[in-house]
Amino acid sequence: MHIQGSHWSTAVAPSDGSGGRSTPLRVDAQRNLEHVLRAAREVFGELGYGAPMEDVARRARVGVGTVYRRFPSKDVLVRRIAEEETARLTEQARTALGQEDEPWSALARFLRTSVASGAGRLLPPQVLRVGVDAENGRPQDAQPRQQSQPRVPQQRQPGDAGGQLHELRLVEQRPVVTEEREGSGAAALLEVVGRLVERARAAGELRPDVTVADVLLVIATAAPSLPDAAQQAAASSRLLDILLEGLRSRPVG
């Protein structure tokens, strides 16, 4: 819809989960929203979900107040990014299942596509804490809350001199995605990745001890954040080749 002399867009403001009615965004407001979302993906992908909103605003070249007008809290912004990246990974897994006849080719395609997209750096923490049934590869219920908190790969931290990277390791992180949303997008991702794992294992091409959680951990760790795009792509490809070899089953004897 376009009204002569106006600057309104048919795009709508994102829901913040409060149940309020969405309203049309002005063209400039829609542009700012797109800049904020793009910047948030970049900043959180480089620094982790612990990065401050000020870093997102700076990368988007808007005031921090603009960010807070669209996302009243950091948790809301993190939830939006995590949901979108989870949906992207789920779609990539479904595409691999639908377009690759060979089980190993399907799993490898999913891993390569996901790592190349960088979505693994933005996986919601609760996805990585899900246990997997060793018998059939299907995800079990998430661990009770009294047990250890979800762990995610630590990435480059704000203020690191010269953009140096910390050693990649698993660190504690507070979950920021609500339980209601955990049960939808994350469950869909775990289910479809579980099918990829089951097919490859049944074909004898995947190590029998590899779980859905292992596959997701590969995605989360095989896309290191490096300052040079070409170097990052080369490093990711090389690391994934090594990890894929580790996932494959080997003939006995």
Side-chain angles (χ1 to χ4, degrees), residues 167-186:
E167 178 186 356
L168 188 62
R169 61 187 183 277
L170 295 180
V171 295
E172 301 296 328
Q173 179 162 329
R174 181 176 60 89
V176 292
V177 182
T178 60
E179 288 187 35
E180 293 81 2
R181 296 181 186 274
E182 281 185 20
S184 55

Side-chain angles (χ1 to χ4, degrees), residues 226-242:
L226 300 176
D228 180 77
Q231 182 184 11
Q232 176 173 306
S236 293
S237 178
R238 173 63 176 162
L239 180 57
L240 184 55
D241 284 343
I242 294 171

